[in-house]
Amino acid sequence: MIKKILFMLAFAGTIIAHAQTGNIGIGTALPTTKLDVNGGVTYQEGAPITVNGTTIVIPDLSFSQYRLAGTPSSAFTITGPTTSDGTTAIISGARLTIVNATSQSGVLNSFSILPGLAQEFTYSNGNWTAIRNPSGPIGLFAKSAGTQVITAAQVITDWVVTTNNFGTAWNGSVFTVPASMQGWYNITAGYSTSANYAGGIRTPHQHVLIRVNGITVAQASAAVVITGGLVSGNAPGSGTANASINYYLNAGDQISIVGNHLSYLVSNNASTPAAAEPLLTYLSVLKQ
């Protein structure tokens, strides 16, 4: 008991001795920062969170690390915590580590966490941002928009111009990450379509999908409004859709986009399937 009291007094004396500088040392008598630890640091992990569907929520930051488990059938969206304990708002500078132990990619605030990997995030300006150290964009891989008739769900192949193609990185409709170019990328894709033509008003209901090695990692959809009635609850018209994701790519990974088309004619308030229509499409892959 006496030893414990002496230890507590000595520890308190150390804190008092450094009260003027505001620095606290653990394992060191000369702390040089607000908290100076001479040794390892452990962040306790919370109870595993099971992912069953397409979305999961991390309720709060009671723990600095969470492990995602379960068997989701596709990529899933992660909603990060906004409070530290259920009531107190998180302040900027907070840290969160997510360990993805599932077989699918998880996406938090557009940042992808690949299966079997962990990603650390920092809270800034009301959002979680992945911690990484890009040196700035070092390569822009882009194909400018081409027009392709989309009939169902199919790979978009009709490109017009290739810019900075890095040799054989582009091959038809697929971009393959060149050797030694692995790292974080921003992948953006989109389409636009105009849906008016003779014989009635057409209702486009389309999606653009970004796929990595054949697996969808991001999707954008558009159902647009003009006058002329409804088809399956959607108003006819023309519109655009854009999808974007930050994703870690290894050399050899392949990126493609898919147009998914559904369209109807509106004539005398009756709906019948219509022929496919052209989509103006684009894709860019920016290494960060």
Side-chain angles (χ1 to χ4, degrees):
M1 184 65 182
I2 295 177
K3 289 183 177 179
K4 289 184 178 179
I5 294 174
L6 291 174
F7 173 79
M8 292 176 65
L9 290 173
F11 183 71
T14 300
I15 294 177
I16 293 172
H18 295 285
Q20 291 181 341
T21 65
N23 297 339
I24 297 176
I26 300 177
T28 176
L30 297 172
T32 58
T33 57
K34 295 298 182 182
L35 178 62
D36 191 343
V37 179
N38 182 16
V41 177
T42 298
Y43 296 99
Q44 294 291 324
E45 185 175 83
I49 298 175
T50 301
V51 184
N52 291 320
T54 57
T55 61
I56 63 107
V57 176
I58 298 177
D60 54 54
L61 203 63
S62 297
F63 293 87
S64 293
Q65 180 168 305
Y66 286 93
R67 181 175 180 269
L68 307 183
T71 56
S73 58
S74 62
F76 54 92
T77 300
I78 304 167
T79 299
T82 57
T83 66
S84 58
D85 57 5
T87 58
T88 306
I90 296 175
I91 64 173
S92 295
R95 293 292 194 271
L96 170 66
T97 300
I98 298 177
V99 181
N100 185 4
T102 76
S103 60
Q104 302 291 336
S105 295
V107 179
L108 172 57
N109 214 19
S110 87
F111 291 97
S112 178
I113 310 167
L114 299 181
L117 298 181
Q119 176 66 58
E120 187 178 9
F121 293 84
T122 185
Y123 197 73
S124 177
N125 196 30
N127 288 295
W128 289 103
T129 301
I131 296 177
R132 46 197 172 87
N133 186 31
S135 58
I138 62 174
L140 175 62
F141 311 88
K143 285 202 169 184
S144 57
T147 299
Q148 179 177 349
V149 174
I150 302 295
T151 57
Q154 64 191 70
V155 174
I156 294 173
T157 59
D158 189 5
W159 302 107
V160 179
V161 178
T162 303
T163 305
N164 297 336
N165 65 0
F166 284 75
T168 58
W170 287 105
N171 181 12
S173 60
V174 177
F175 167 75
T176 302
V177 179
S180 302
M181 291 291 285
Q182 67 274 3
W184 282 96
Y185 286 76
N186 175 262
I187 311 170
T188 303
Y191 75 81
S192 63
T193 181
S194 181
N196 298 321
Y197 75 112
I201 299 175
R202 169 173 267 170
T203 298
H205 188 82
Q206 286 123 342
H207 315 287
V208 59
L209 312 177
I210 297 176
R211 290 184 172 175
V212 177
N213 298 328
I215 300 173
T216 298
V217 297
Q219 173 178 316
S221 305
V224 292
V225 178
I226 63 169
T227 59
L230 299 177
V231 178
S232 300
N234 295 316
S238 59
T240 62
N242 303 291
S244 182
I245 189 172
N246 294 295
Y247 205 89
Y248 190 93
L249 297 172
N250 292 297
D253 283 348
Q254 295 186 326
I255 300 95
S256 60
I257 61 174
V258 170
N260 193 347
H261 171 88
L262 177 63
S263 186
Y264 292 90
L265 293 178
V266 179
S267 177
N268 298 323
N269 294 321
S271 301
T272 57
E277 59 195 6
L279 297 183
L280 183 66
T281 58
Y282 72 86
L283 170 65
S284 69
V285 186
L286 175 63
K287 190 175 191 306
Q288 298 179 310

